[in-house]
Amino acid sequence: MSIKMLKFVKIGQQNPPKRAISNRKEDFNEIYKDFIQEKAEEQSSRCSQCGVPFCQIHCPLSNNIPDWLKLTAEGRLQEAYELAQSTNNMPEVCGRICPQDKLCEGNCVIEQSGHGTVTIGSVEKYITDNAWEQGWINPIKIKKEKDQSVGIIGAGPAGLAAAEQLRKLGYQITIYDRYDRSGGLLIYGIPNFKLEKFVVERRTKLLKESGIKFIQNFEVGKDCTLNQLREKHNAILIATGVYQAREIEIPGNNLENIFPAMEFLTASNRKGLGDKVELFDNGTLNTEGKDIVVIGGGDTAMDCVRTSVRQNAKSVKCLYRRDKKNMPGSAREVANAEEEGVEFVWLSSPKKFIGKNKVESLIVDKIKLGEPDDSGRRKPEVQKNSDFNLKADMVIKALGFDPEDLPKLFGCDELQVTRWGTIKTDFDTMETNIPGVFAAGDIIRGASLVVWGIKDGRDAAISIKKFLERSEFKKIKVA
Ligand SMILES: Cc1cc2nc3c(=O)[nH]c(=O)nc-3n(C[C@H](O)[C@H](O)[C@H](O)COP(=O)(O)OP(=O)(O)OC[C@H]3O[C@@H](n4cnc5c(N)ncnc54)[C@H](O)[C@@H]3O)c2cc1C
Ligand code: SF4
C-alpha cells in the first residue's frame, strides 16, 4: 500500500465534526463557533490530496480546494486565503451557504468512500473570516482610473462580483439598485441564521471604499430607461435576479394571512437589520404562537419553515406535492428542518383555502407519483377522494420565482428574452442582443445559486473588458 493510501485509510477513519444536535435552532455560526484554527487544520489534513479533485470539478468557481486545504493544514492561513479569494469574490459567503452536499463536499472522495466529507465549506469560511480579522482584506487600490465606465443594474452577488473584477482593472463602476441596501437576496432573501448580515455589509463597504459608486433606491424602468442608462456608460450589465413569485390558483387565495415567501422573509430580515417593520410588530408577518403551513419544497420553503421555527410558531408544516427523494431543496436543509421539529406533509397539494376573512385551514389532496414527464421527473397525480383538512393561521407560498418582464419594464422592447423570460445572452460572451449590454446571474439562469451568480459576474467582467478594449481601439482608429 502506498504512503498516500495509508494516509487516506488513517484519516478516513476520523469522524467529521458533529453538525447535528437534536431540536437545535442554532445557525451555521453557532454550530461552527468553535471551528478554530486547530479544527480547520484537522479537517484540512483529512484531505487525501487524491489527485483527481472531484471537489474542485464540482465547484462552479473551480476553486483550488486541495491546495488551500493543504496550506490550511500547514498553518499557512494567509496563503490559503489568497488562493481561495483568487477565484471567489465572497469565499466567506459561499463557505456559509453553498449547498456543499450537492457541490464540492458531495463529491469529496472521502465522502464517496463512506468516511464523511472534509468540511470544505467551513474551512473556506474559517480562512476568510480569519483574513478579515487579521486585516488581510483591503480595498482595491488602482494605479490609474480608466476613462470608460460600466453601469451595473443590481447589487446582488452577480453584480457585486462583476463590479469588483472590473474595478480591479481600473474601470469606473456605478451600481444601481432598487433596494435601500446592497446585497440582493443575500440581504433580504437568505435568513440571518444562514448568513449574518454583517458579512454582506462588510463586503459592500469594502467595494464602496474601493471607489465603486452605489446608487440605492434607483429602479431602472421607473427612474430611467435602459437606453438612458446606456447613454451614461460605455457598457451595461443587467444583474437584476428573478423576483416574480409563482402563484397558486386555487379558491380562497385572496384570504388574509396568505403571503408570498419573499414578503415574509424580507420582513424578518429587515427586523434582524434593526428596521421598524410595522407588519411584523403588529403580528401580521410574525409567526409566533401560530399554526404555519408553508407550501413548496425548495430552499426558499426551507428558509421559511426554519424562520417560522425561530419566531416560535406553535406548529410548522411543509406541504410538498412530491416525496422526500424528489424534493428540489438541499437534503441537508430538509434534515435541518426535520431536526428542528418541522413536519413534512409529503405527496400533498392544496386544493382550497378555507376561512371567513382570514385563512383558517386548507383542504389538501393526496398525490401519487405517476409516469415520468418530459423532464424525467415523475408526474404528481391527485388521488381521488383523498382530501383532508389542515389547520393554518398563516400560509406562506414558496413556489419559486420567474423573471419580471424586463423588456417592458426597461422600456426596451428590442431586448431579447428566452421563452422562460430570462434574458437571452450569447453563450460565450454573456452579451445580450444589444451591443454593449451584458447579463449575469439569476436573470439569465432562472432562480439559481449565489456561487453561480459570482461565476457569471466574473465571466461577464472578462467579456465586458474585451468589449471596452475593442471600443476604445475603434475610437482611437476613427480619431
Ligand atoms: C429565500 C432564498 C434563499 C436562498 N438561499 C440560498 C442559499 O442558501 N444558497 C445559495 O447559493 N443560493 C440561495 N438562494 C439563491 C441566491 O440568493 C440567488 O441565486 C442569488 O442571489 C442570485 O444573485 P443575482 O445577483 O443574480 O440576483 P439577486 O441576488 O436577486 O440581486 C438582484 C438585485 O437586483 C436588484 N434589481 C432588480 N431589478 C432592478 C431594477 N429594475 N433596477 C434596479 N435594481 C434592480 C434587486 O434589488 C437586487 O438587489 C436563495 C434564494 C432565495 C430567494
Ligand atoms: S464556492 Fe461553494 S462549491 Fe465551491 S468550494 Fe466553496 S463551498 Fe464548495
Side-chain angles (χ1 to χ4, degrees), residues 154-292:
L160 296 177
E164 183 172 8
Q165 293 305 99
L166 288 163
R167 185 63 186 161
K168 282 183 197 159
L169 296 168
Y171 293 106
Q172 297 174 34
I173 310 293
T174 307
I175 307 185
Y176 302 86
D177 200 291
R178 66 181 170 193
Y179 286 159
D180 54 347
R181 290 184 174 92
S182 306
L185 289 172
L186 300 181
I187 206 96
Y188 286 136
I190 301 172
N192 203 42
F193 64 85
K194 273 168 64 183
L195 175 64
E196 318 90 298
K197 301 306 162 195
F198 84 88
V199 172
V200 185
E201 286 178 329
R202 83 184 161 190
R203 271 283 160 202
T204 45
K205 183 168 171 275
L206 185 84
L207 295 179
K208 278 177 200 157
E209 289 165 1
S210 301
I212 294 169
K213 208 164 143 193
F214 285 78
I215 302 188
Q216 305 293 153
N217 298 310
F218 187 99
E219 181 165 348
V220 178
K222 205 173 95 203
D223 298 310
C224 78
T225 63
L226 179 62
N227 283 333
Q228 283 166 340
L229 212 60
R230 286 178 70 208
E231 281 166 24
K232 279 191 174 178
H233 299 284
N234 302 87
I236 297 287
L237 177 70
I238 304 173
T240 48
V242 288
Y243 283 87
Q244 196 169 285
R246 286 194 196 128
E247 258 309 335
I248 180 164
E249 303 296 347
I250 57 171
N253 200 8
N254 55 351
L255 287 171
E256 285 173 35
N257 287 355
I258 302 176
F259 300 104
M262 272 306 285
E263 201 174 327
F264 170 65
L265 291 172
T266 304
S268 175
N269 277 319
R270 279 198 180 280
K271 201 66 206 157
L273 282 155
D275 291 357
K276 193 168 162 30
V277 185
E278 213 180 304
L279 287 179
F280 184 92
D281 296 337
N282 70 18
T284 310
L285 282 171
N286 185 343
T287 62
E288 188 171 357
K290 295 178 187 167
D291 290 309
I292 305 298

Side-chain angles (χ1 to χ4, degrees), residues 59-61 63 65 68 88 94-95 98 100 103-104 120-121 124 451:
C59 165
L61 293 164
N63 281 345
I65 302 161
W68 49 253
N88 189 351
C94 293
C98 267
Q100 286 104 3
L103 301 170
C104 53
I120 297 166
E124 189 177 28
V451 65

